[in-house]
Amino acid sequence: MKISLKRKITLAFIITILGAIVLTSIVSNFSINRNFNNYLVEEHKEKITGTAEFINSLYNKDRDLKITTQEELQRYAVLQDLYIQLKDNNNSVLYTSGTSHLQHNRMMDRMMGSKMHRNSGEYQEEEYPLTSEGKNIGSITIGFFGDSYLSSSALSFISTLNRSFIISAVIAIAFGFFVSLLISNQLSNPLIKITKTANIMRTGNLNVKSEINTSTKEIQELSNSINFLAETLRNQEMLRKRLTSDMAHELRTPLTTLKTHAEAFMDGVWKPTPERLRVFYEEIERSRKMVDSLRDLSKFEQSSLALNKSTLNVSKELKGIIEIFNPLFNKKGYKLDYDIQSDIQAFWDKDKFKQIMNNLLANSLNYLKPEGKVEVTMKKENKNIIIQIMDNGIGIPEKDLPYIFERFYRSDLSRNKNTGGSGIGLTISKALVEAHGGSIKAESTEGRGTVFTLIIPHNEKSL
Ligand code: ADP
């Protein structure tokens, strides 16, 4: 069963409040009962021993127990609700208060509905020595109605306390209910809004934005993520459309050339000279390369890349690659410089490393302008090897920069250059760098040049 967040929070609040109050009342009842009873037992003990002392001193003042002394004892017994009896050593009764006043109080209690719970326990007697000048001359018996007498005030205190607990519980539940409504509204309203936005996005409208007003960090983050997701999907959608039109364009050009050539041959307008057949062949070759790139890419995307790693002197490898590129640069009047830290060792896949560097250097060569210059640097920093390829070429427009690692993405600038590229070189390079646990990024200014930075861990334990 699914319960709404609102109901869940409200229920949790009420259960917590009730639980807290019930627990507090049980603990307080228990500890108050115990302490109160202990206190009253002590007090009662003091009262009875005080009574014994009082009787002793009264008796020592008037051994004949005149009528005034007897009246005083009687008054005391009635007032304190006690039975008092004095005996001498021969066991003959010197004085007794009688129990009629105790019976009377019992009856009064019952008539008043025992509200005071006074003296309602078992009747008990305690005996104390009657002494004179340190000698035992008889006994004092003090009778009273037992335990309940002790707890009567405790009982009324506890019942008042429990009443307060019930009142507090009602107030706390009302307050808790109000607070929980407030909190649950604060939490669930923005969530409901976000869900609505997500549902609209699901129908394909990616232009909606989740705009909520919340002070809850996690909910704000969720809203931001939804917006980010929509933006990513919008970009993907844009890339997908662009990819389709790019592919159509790339395939259309060679096919149109082939078609016109073929028509001209068929109509006898053109003779199939080796020259013309070479153009024919080149166009076929261009289309084949494109299809090959597509196949390569799908291979990369389908399987996780299997690397054939070995310990390499990557400084030497990079210098070797640069040497191969040097004549190509010189032919066009460009310069290719390098600053490579010597003898850096790494545990990488040699062929894949070559493929990455070939892609990047070929790009820098393709997108240079007259007086073009490229500089390659390599250095070791902690566990990483940092490689940079800097050129002063045509650069990449700011709007294209975030997408250049996407499949088949080519900036309009590069398209005009007619390099024959297909826009997957960087996608493959990025996949290869990441397969080595590294990262690649590009910084560029249109018209000024581009810098590619690769940070790849050397992956060599012994280094
Ligand atoms: P391509 O085959 O088109 O070179 P890549 O995937 O290698 O494909 O590059 C994608 C796009 O990135 C290029 O079409 C180009 O727009 C841009 N690019 C890559 N490297 C450079 C560079 N050094 N200078 C300018 N633009 C570049």
Side-chain angles (χ1 to χ4, degrees), residues 168-179:
S168 336
V170 172
I171 296 173
I173 287 175
F175 183 69
F177 186 69
F178 175 73
V179 174

Side-chain angles (χ1 to χ4, degrees), residues 359-360 363-367 391 393-396 404-406 409-415 419-427 444 449-450 452:
N359 278 342
L360 295 172
N363 275 351
S364 65
L365 173 66
N366 282 337
Y367 303 117
D391 67 54
I394 59 173
I396 302 166
I404 55 162
F405 293 101
E406 297 289 340
Y409 196 97
R410 306 188 66 205
S411 80
D412 294 332
L413 284 184
S414 57
R415 220 184 285 279
T419 57
S422 54
I424 68 156
L426 285 183
T427 317
S444 186
T450 308
F452 281 91

Side-chain angles (χ1 to χ4, degrees), residues 56-160:
N56 227 336
S57 74
L58 209 65
Y59 180 75
N60 276 313
K61 259 191 243 159
D62 174 19
R63 297 225 173 167
D64 298 334
L65 289 175
K66 282 191 207 114
I67 197 80
T68 49
T69 310
Q70 286 198 20
E71 274 171 8
E72 196 171 341
L73 278 170
Q74 191 65 28
R75 252 200 319 278
Y76 189 86
V78 172
L79 218 66
Q80 299 291 330
D81 209 23
L82 298 170
Y83 165 69
I84 299 172
Q85 188 189 55
L86 298 181
K87 281 188 200 161
D88 64 12
N89 276 340
N90 299 328
N91 233 1
S92 46
V93 176
L94 301 173
Y95 165 79
T96 175
S97 68
T99 54
S100 57
H101 60 286
L102 296 184
Q103 308 298 345
H104 175 256
N105 281 344
R106 229 46 347 90
M107 255 170 59
M108 287 296 285
D109 263 2
R110 244 167 267 141
M111 275 164 62
M112 287 167 75
S114 285
K115 277 223 170 97
M116 294 162 76
H117 295 283
R118 197 169 58 151
N119 295 13
S120 52
E122 285 290 296
Y123 178 75
Q124 294 171 30
E125 280 186 355
E126 280 177 21
E127 214 173 87
Y128 290 85
L130 187 62
T131 55
S132 168
E133 293 164 359
K135 273 194 219 147
N136 209 339
I137 55 166
S139 67
I140 306 168
T141 306
I142 300 171
F144 51 86
F145 276 91
D147 295 329
S148 325
Y149 168 69
L150 300 173
S151 54
S152 64
S153 356
L155 280 176
S156 84
F157 176 75
I158 286 166
S159 81
T160 317

Side-chain angles (χ1 to χ4, degrees), residues 183-429:
I183 293 184
S184 59
N185 272 338
Q186 271 186 10
L187 289 179
S188 70
N189 287 350
L191 285 176
I192 291 171
K193 269 191 183 174
I194 294 175
T195 312
K196 268 189 194 155
T197 315
N199 281 338
I200 297 175
M201 287 173 181
R202 219 173 53 170
T203 62
N205 180 358
L206 296 172
N207 291 320
V208 282
K209 216 176 159 201
S210 157
E211 273 163 319
I212 51 156
N213 189 8
T214 177
S215 52
T216 315
K217 198 174 141 214
E218 287 83 356
I219 297 183
Q220 188 60 57
E221 279 170 3
L222 177 67
S223 168
N224 295 346
S225 300
I226 286 278
N227 286 336
F228 185 70
L229 183 70
E231 198 186 315
T232 314
L233 288 174
R234 264 201 310 272
N235 287 339
Q236 290 295 329
E237 178 74 4
M238 186 270 284
L239 286 172
R240 193 177 57 79
K241 284 183 184 154
R242 196 176 156 133
L243 169 67
T244 322
S245 75
D246 283 2
M247 290 291 294
H249 174 84
E250 297 291 337
L251 285 172
R252 208 166 182 276
T253 319
L255 285 177
T256 315
T257 318
L258 289 176
K259 190 180 166 223
T260 36
H261 274 49
E263 275 168 1
F265 291 148
M266 283 188 314
D267 296 346
V269 181
W270 270 3
K271 289 244 147 33
T273 59
E275 190 88 334
R276 284 176 182 144
L277 283 173
R278 204 168 53 82
V279 177
F280 213 88
Y281 174 80
E282 274 168 10
E283 289 304 324
I284 292 174
E285 188 59 14
R286 204 152 85 90
S287 307
R288 191 192 59 82
K289 264 193 196 161
M290 258 196 78
V291 176
D292 275 358
S293 321
L294 272 170
R295 198 199 48 203
D296 282 356
L297 195 63
S298 79
K299 256 201 246 159
F300 275 120
E301 285 173 344
Q302 270 167 21
S303 58
S304 55
L305 280 174
L307 298 180
N308 182 15
K309 288 186 185 178
S310 58
T311 300
L312 305 174
N313 182 331
V314 279
S315 309
K316 262 194 192 153
E317 294 295 336
L318 185 55
K319 279 180 196 161
I321 299 167
I322 290 173
E323 249 159 54
I324 295 173
F325 268 90
N326 235 328
L328 299 173
F329 274 74
N330 290 339
K331 213 165 94 185
K332 292 190 173 175
Y334 298 148
K335 269 180 89 179
L336 175 58
D337 291 338
Y338 64 84
D339 177 9
I340 294 170
Q341 192 181 321
S342 320
D343 294 327
I344 303 179
Q345 304 277 322
F347 189 63
W348 292 350
D349 182 320
K350 186 171 160 180
D351 290 338
K352 303 285 189 288
F353 173 56
K354 276 190 178 165
Q355 198 176 347
I356 297 168
M357 291 317 299
N358 279 340
N359 278 342
L360 295 172
L361 284 170
N363 275 351
S364 65
L365 173 66
N366 282 337
Y367 303 117
L368 279 179
K369 299 179 293 190
E371 305 203 3
K373 197 179 143 191
V374 173
E375 190 184 359
V376 182
T377 63
M378 181 190 246
K379 62 181 174 187
K380 211 177 100 186
E381 239 179 54
N382 303 322
K383 291 187 166 170
N384 291 319
I385 295 171
I386 301 172
I387 305 169
Q388 284 194 309
I389 299 103
M390 296 165 268
D391 67 54
N392 63 351
I394 59 173
I396 302 166
E398 209 180 319
K399 71 171 179 52
D400 294 318
L401 200 55
Y403 307 115
I404 55 162
F405 293 101
E406 297 289 340
R407 279 170 272 151
F408 303 105
Y409 196 97
R410 306 188 66 205
S411 80
D412 294 332
L413 284 184
S414 57
R415 220 184 285 279
N416 298 339
K417 269 219 138 203
N418 232 342
T419 57
S422 54
I424 68 156
L426 285 183
T427 317
I428 290 176
S429 300

